[in-house]
Amino acid sequence: EGGKISVTSTGNKNITSIQIDDEFFKSADREELEELIAVAVNKALVQAENVHQTEMQALSSNMLGGLGNLFNG
């Protein structure tokens, strides 16, 4: 979050890593750290959901496109 905390997740919404800037970690208080981690995790999960939805739409389009050819032949 703001470059201070980085959260990586998969399209399946599994958190694979959390990285905290060393300088921020040394100077932040517990409450600030907890809030920023929560924000960063939530953003990562939203992005993962967006990737998941995009992939599902592409998959659905490919499947339906193939089925459409069955009825046109």
Side-chain angles (χ1 to χ4, degrees), residues 3-51:
K4 299 173 185 173
I5 298 175
S6 174
V7 177
T8 305
S9 70
T10 66
N12 293 328
K13 301 179 198 166
N14 293 319
I15 302 299
T16 57
S17 73
I18 297 176
Q19 298 173 341
I20 303 171
D21 179 78
D22 289 335
E23 290 302 314
F24 174 70
F25 185 73
K26 291 176 187 174
S27 65
D29 64 32
R30 180 184 182 112
E31 184 177 345
E32 182 180 18
L33 186 59
E34 289 172 346
E35 287 176 12
L36 287 179
I37 289 172
V39 169
V41 167
N42 286 328
K43 283 186 175 184
L45 293 176
V46 166
Q47 289 176 347
E49 177 64 22
N50 291 339
V51 168

Side-chain angles (χ1 to χ4, degrees), residues 46-71:
V46 166
Q47 289 176 347
E49 177 64 22
N50 291 339
V51 168
H52 176 75
Q53 290 296 326
T54 299
E55 290 176 353
M56 291 304 292
Q57 287 174 349
L59 182 62
S60 296
S61 294
N62 289 340
M63 289 175 63
L64 293 176
L67 291 176
N69 290 337
L70 293 174
F71 300 111

